[in-house]
Amino acid sequence: MEYSAFEKVPVKDRSFSYSDQFAFWFGATSLPAAWYYGALMAGWQGIGGALILIFIVNTLSLLPWAYLGEIAAKSGASSMAIVRPAFGIKGSIVPSIFYLVMGIGWAVVNVFLGAIALSFIFKLWLGWPSYLDSNNLVYMISYIFMVCLLQGYFAVSGHQILKKLQWIATVLFILLGMYQTYVVFSHWGVSSLLSWRPDKILTAAVGPFNYRITFALLVDLLIAYNWTWEFIGDFSRFAKDKKAGTWGPFWGANIAQYWWFLVGALAVVYLSVTTGQYSPLLADPSSTTVSLGLGWLAAIIVLLATVTTNAANIYASALGFSNILIEKKVSFDSLLKFSAWLVVPLSLVPLLSASFVGFYIFFLDFVGAIVVPLWTITLVDYFIIHKRNYTDDIFEKKKGRYWYQNGWNWPAVISLLAGTIIYWLFAYVFINIRQSVTATIPTIILVTIIYLKLRHKNVSKI
């Protein structure tokens, strides 16, 4: 049985063990977007800088995210249900809309990155045009539809099928991935790549925005990247216990991303050393695999990586819709199918972008302005205000402890909107501050202060 965003998963149906959660998140976070972001990391200070971001910043940034899994595991509630105590039963519609932007947005980006990787694979393997060739349109559309069809099928199959799919993917990623990593490393010669550094501060542009690839920007983008794994609650609610729902995702995601980020970083440095050109888009280690006669292996890895992640994104997006349409009689199965089909036309939009590097950075910055204040408010509300104690009123459709003012907790809504504005101000107005302290850190501090003060005033009035 599938449960909508506002239904509690009973204890008897919480079947995800610690190892299930580990495998699920190892599979979900293994995707071409991670190779791509690893390549961006190397654009700061080469492999040395990438290692700091991968093993220190990445690990620390996943800690707050993992605690969202604790909330879901204890309450049996989805990601959109665990925001209700902070935002109110009706007020949770606001983060649900933001949640859809994240879920559908990531699904679109992942489909397109998967299609790009497939285009490079099939060009080397079968001679078909790649993404960078002028006559690529029909082929790119075909790859996009191929990925969308597979991910849609698994998404509508439900959480138990997704669990099995992630287990299969995890085993294959470990076996095939270890072999691919061995092939890639032995072919490149890793020691020769460690000394490479960019000879200038690298940039990427989209529209009027010009991004300098600095440490602060990469920290912001990495936090946005990790915190937009928004569906942690949607599957931690099926965890057998709090440990499984919190630390299973934490270590599964970390270990997968250590590998995928690092391979992406090494790939772009290899490309830079051999061609003199830094190009994250071309830094796909599958290309090396194809050149060694293993095109089928590269295609399987890319397809599995994209489909396993996006099937979960589509499932989560359907939950977001179910929270928004809480008063409508729409079956969850219908919402799953709608979410799967919605991704298809939207996945064609990046074809209109002149620079996918800039588009990717802009997307991460855009969602960062959403998730940083959203999850900050949720964690502050859970740990500080409610002291880790949410009641089953979280599942009420009307009235109850979290009804507040006609279903809205305005301090949280105002803090979320203010936090989004604050993030963008630090990102694009107070640029000098961002370059030293990031946009994320001041946003977290200010949103916490604003929410606690507004919440205190609101309670005092009541």
Side-chain angles (χ1 to χ4, degrees):
M1 178 179 177
E2 299 304 323
Y3 296 89
S4 69
F6 50 88
E7 291 179 302
K8 180 176 182 175
V9 177
V11 174
K12 66 179 179 65
D13 286 340
R14 299 183 192 181
S15 60
F16 280 48
S17 65
Y18 184 96
S19 58
D20 288 332
Q21 288 284 346
F22 180 94
F24 183 94
W25 283 99
F26 186 95
T29 54
S30 299
L31 71 163
W35 280 336
Y36 194 68
Y37 190 72
L40 286 177
M41 291 182 191
W44 170 49
Q45 288 294 326
I47 297 299
L51 291 176
I52 293 172
L53 288 158
I54 294 168
F55 291 102
I56 298 177
V57 179
N58 173 64
T59 304
L60 292 175
S61 70
L62 280 170
L63 276 170
W65 170 82
Y67 279 109
L68 296 172
E70 175 187 311
I71 307 173
K74 285 184 66 176
S75 62
S78 69
S79 290
M80 280 299 91
I82 66 175
V83 303
R84 288 179 169 186
F87 291 87
I89 301 300
K90 285 188 175 181
S92 64
I93 290 175
V94 176
S96 290
I97 294 171
F98 284 7
Y99 187 82
L100 286 176
V101 172
M102 290 184 284
I104 297 296
W106 260 121
V108 167
V109 169
N110 288 337
V111 167
F112 199 75
L113 280 169
I116 290 174
L118 286 174
S119 78
F120 293 147
I121 290 168
F122 280 100
K123 177 173 183 176
L124 291 170
W125 189 14
L126 302 175
W128 297 350
S130 76
Y131 172 65
L132 298 179
D133 295 324
S134 58
N135 56 338
N136 67 17
L137 186 59
V138 173
Y139 294 90
M140 283 298 296
I141 292 174
S142 299
Y143 300 141
I144 287 170
F145 276 110
M146 182 194 306
V147 175
C148 287
L149 180 64
L150 287 171
Q151 70 190 21
Y153 170 78
F154 285 107
V156 301
S157 298
H159 71 277
Q160 289 292 353
I161 296 298
L162 286 176
K163 180 174 76 171
K164 294 175 182 177
L165 174 66
Q166 297 290 17
W167 262 114
I168 294 170
T170 296
V171 172
L172 286 173
F173 285 147
I174 291 174
L175 295 176
L176 300 180
M178 286 177 64
Y179 180 69
Q180 185 189 41
T181 303
Y182 165 75
V183 168
V184 168
F185 282 13
S186 61
H187 185 71
W188 289 341
V190 177
S191 60
S192 64
L193 309 180
L194 296 178
S195 60
W196 179 83
R197 297 289 185 278
D199 56 6
K200 61 181 179 179
I201 296 178
L202 301 170
T203 62
V206 57
F209 303 113
N210 192 53
Y211 301 88
R212 301 173 72 220
I213 300 178
T214 62
F215 178 74
L217 173 68
L218 290 169
V219 169
D220 281 338
L221 300 185
L222 185 53
I223 292 173
Y225 184 97
N226 284 336
W227 286 20
T228 48
W229 290 114
E230 79 288 353
F231 52 81
I232 180 172
D234 301 332
F235 295 94
S236 282
R237 63 180 177 153
F238 295 109
K240 291 183 177 180
D241 53 45
K242 183 174 71 174
K243 179 182 177 183
T246 308
W247 301 112
F250 177 78
W251 287 114
N254 260 310
I255 292 175
Q257 291 186 170
Y258 291 160
W259 171 47
W260 287 69
F261 284 158
L262 183 58
V263 172
L266 288 167
V268 80
V269 172
Y270 171 76
L271 185 71
S272 299
V273 168
T274 55
T275 68
Q277 177 188 13
Y278 170 82
S279 179
L281 198 59
L282 295 176
D284 180 354
S286 291
S287 300
T288 303
T289 308
V290 176
S291 68
L292 297 175
L294 298 169
W296 61 269
L297 172 61
I300 288 173
I301 290 176
V302 169
L303 272 174
L304 264 179
T306 306
V307 168
T308 52
T309 301
N310 270 1
N313 266 317
I314 291 169
Y315 184 93
S317 298
L319 287 171
F321 278 121
S322 74
N323 191 41
I324 293 171
L325 302 173
I326 187 172
E327 296 182 358
K328 307 291 184 182
K329 292 183 178 180
V330 183
S331 70
F332 186 62
D333 182 63
S334 297
L335 293 175
L336 276 171
K337 292 175 181 177
F338 176 74
S339 298
W341 281 111
L342 180 61
V343 172
V344 179
L346 293 177
S347 296
L348 301 174
V349 173
L351 286 170
L352 304 175
S353 175
S355 169
F356 191 75
V357 177
F359 177 87
Y360 185 69
I361 294 176
F362 176 79
F363 170 75
L364 283 175
D365 233 7
F366 181 82
V367 294
I370 295 173
V371 295
V372 169
L374 171 60
W375 296 134
T376 296
I377 293 166
T378 303
L379 292 168
V380 167
D381 188 82
Y382 178 69
F383 284 100
I384 298 178
I385 293 177
H386 287 96
K387 304 186 186 306
R388 283 181 158 170
N389 183 30
Y390 281 168
T391 71
D392 279 355
D393 287 351
I394 198 172
F395 303 104
E396 294 290 338
K397 293 185 179 181
K398 198 171 185 180
K399 304 301 180 183
R401 185 176 180 181
Y402 309 121
W403 187 246
Y404 302 113
Q405 297 171 293
N406 296 318
W408 294 79
N409 185 28
W410 290 108
V413 176
I414 293 169
S415 299
L416 174 59
L417 298 176
T420 299
I421 294 171
I422 289 169
Y423 186 100
W424 276 93
L425 285 174
F426 278 103
Y428 295 105
V429 178
F430 307 126
I431 298 175
N432 291 333
I433 296 177
R434 183 195 198 165
Q435 290 177 353
S436 57
V437 300
T438 77
T440 297
I441 294 174
T443 300
I444 290 173
I445 294 171
L446 290 173
V447 165
T448 300
I449 293 171
I450 292 170
Y451 180 54
L452 290 175
K453 286 195 174 236
L454 289 178
R455 170 87 183 187
H456 177 72
K457 286 182 181 179
N458 197 53
V459 170
S460 299
K461 286 180 181 179
I462 295 174

